[in-house]
Amino acid sequence: MDALELLGTRPLVVLTGAGLSTDSGIPDYRGPDSPPRQPMTYDEFVSGPGAQQRYWARSHLGWTRMGAAVPNDGHRAVAALGADLVITQNVDGLHEASATPRVVALHGRIADVVCLECRRTSPRAALQERLGAANPGWLERHRAAPVRPDGDVELDDTADFVVPGCDGCGGVLKPDVVFFGENVPPDRVARCYAAVDALADSGGAILVAGSSLTVMSGLRFVKRAAKLGVPVVIVNRGPTRGDDLATYRLDVGTSEWLPRLAAVRNPRSTGETGTSMVLQDHGSEGIPG
């Protein structure tokens, strides 16, 4: 039995990471060719206006690129798998853009903004317009800045960037994502654990796609599955922290392998080329919001 045969008909939970989105033009932190990067922590962000100015200056530039990203063959394949649940560590919204059912965005979505004072949420697109109006010419002056994985760019020159507050209460605005140093909301974690636990009773399996499993927020679900005797398949370029727990470990690209799995699980929608017909609609839809 190989990995395709193992996953061909079983109930499935899919855990995805940044490696799934690299073919959409969004770099990852820990891929084989990724340079060292350190994202801003929650404590740093709330430390004062200077840190918030640095974050939003960089994010304003990065959003123009991440916001234009579209799903790739890997995202479309995941949408076609019929998984019981898709748990994504990504904040780029590309699973939602590919109409993937039953998605838990473990770390939130970069397309949403929350006020730390009144807790009101609003679309990032609306804030992007306000940032542009408050900082005319900023995008043009810094267009060459290298993009980073979390929807921002490499940039040190942020001292003159103007950051508007919440248009309701004037409070500090933060992307509605889980920063390093924050906890994933308990209800999301509980839903994911429940889906993994159900695999033990249904004879299902967990598939990890494009994640190095470096952080515990994703690795814990693989550990839980292995403890329950649930098969674990890992598809990722480069080593992961879960390799010793894997039933199968494939060092291949997600955009290459996931469409093959989708074709196996959906034989009636497979055309003469062996690729699921669902995967042929490349579309032009970007990140929601």
Side-chain angles (χ1 to χ4, degrees):
M1 178 183 292
D2 63 11
L4 288 173
E5 186 179 356
L6 174 70
L7 300 179
T9 59
R10 293 174 185 256
L12 192 61
V13 168
V14 181
L15 172 65
T16 69
L20 187 69
S21 294
T22 54
D23 285 345
S24 292
I26 301 173
D28 64 353
Y29 276 114
R30 302 176 183 92
D33 301 318
S34 298
R37 295 184 177 96
Q38 181 60 51
M40 183 174 287
T41 66
Y42 178 77
D43 286 344
E44 183 182 359
F45 183 85
V46 299
S47 66
Q52 292 149 24
Q53 185 181 51
R54 287 194 302 277
Y55 177 84
W56 284 117
R58 296 166 179 172
S59 184
H60 180 50
L61 288 161
W63 175 256
T64 62
R65 304 170 197 182
M66 180 180 277
V70 297
N72 61 53
D73 284 347
H75 296 104
R76 287 185 286 275
V78 170
L81 292 178
D84 294 346
L85 189 68
V86 174
I87 306 166
T88 185
Q89 300 170 98
N90 299 338
V91 300
D92 54 36
L94 293 179
H95 281 302
E96 293 89 340
S98 59
T100 304
R102 297 178 295 279
V103 176
V104 171
L106 201 60
H107 299 150
R109 293 171 64 250
I110 200 74
D112 300 322
V113 177
V114 62
C115 173
L116 295 182
E117 308 301 326
C118 68
R119 307 307 301 181
R120 173 177 172 265
T121 59
S122 55
R124 171 58 195 269
L127 176 60
Q128 187 74 357
E129 292 183 4
R130 296 178 64 203
L131 290 170
N135 299 275
W138 182 267
L139 294 178
E140 290 72 19
R141 291 201 307 274
H142 301 286
R143 192 171 297 278
V147 67
R148 303 199 307 179
D150 285 333
D152 59 356
V153 300
E154 299 279 358
L155 183 68
D156 294 324
D157 180 17
T158 63
D160 60 344
F161 192 79
V162 178
V163 182
C166 171
D167 59 6
C169 74
V172 173
L173 295 174
K174 172 185 170 292
D176 197 10
V177 300
V178 178
F179 277 34
F180 281 85
E182 285 189 281
N183 294 320
V184 177
D187 58 328
R188 295 180 198 167
V189 177
R191 184 181 175 191
C192 296
Y193 272 136
V196 172
D197 291 349
L199 295 174
D201 296 325
S202 65
I206 185 167
L207 168 64
V208 179
S211 175
S212 64
L213 299 173
T214 300
V215 295
M216 187 56 68
S217 64
L219 179 62
R220 57 184 156 183
F221 303 119
V222 176
K223 287 180 172 287
R224 179 75 151 250
K227 183 177 181 180
L228 294 171
V230 172
V232 176
V233 176
I234 299 177
V235 179
N236 187 67
R237 289 200 182 279
T240 83
R241 281 184 70 191
D243 285 353
D244 60 339
L245 304 173
T247 310
Y248 289 100
R249 165 75 172 91
L250 292 81
D251 195 347
V252 296
T254 54
S255 296
E256 304 163 27
W257 193 84
L258 290 174
R260 294 174 58 199
L261 176 61
V264 170
R265 289 178 65 91
N266 299 279
R268 293 183 180 179
S269 63
T270 302
E272 295 180 358
T273 63
T275 302
S276 171
M277 296 299 288
V278 176
L279 308 181
Q280 300 304 308
D281 180 13
H282 288 251
S284 59
E285 186 176 8
I287 294 174

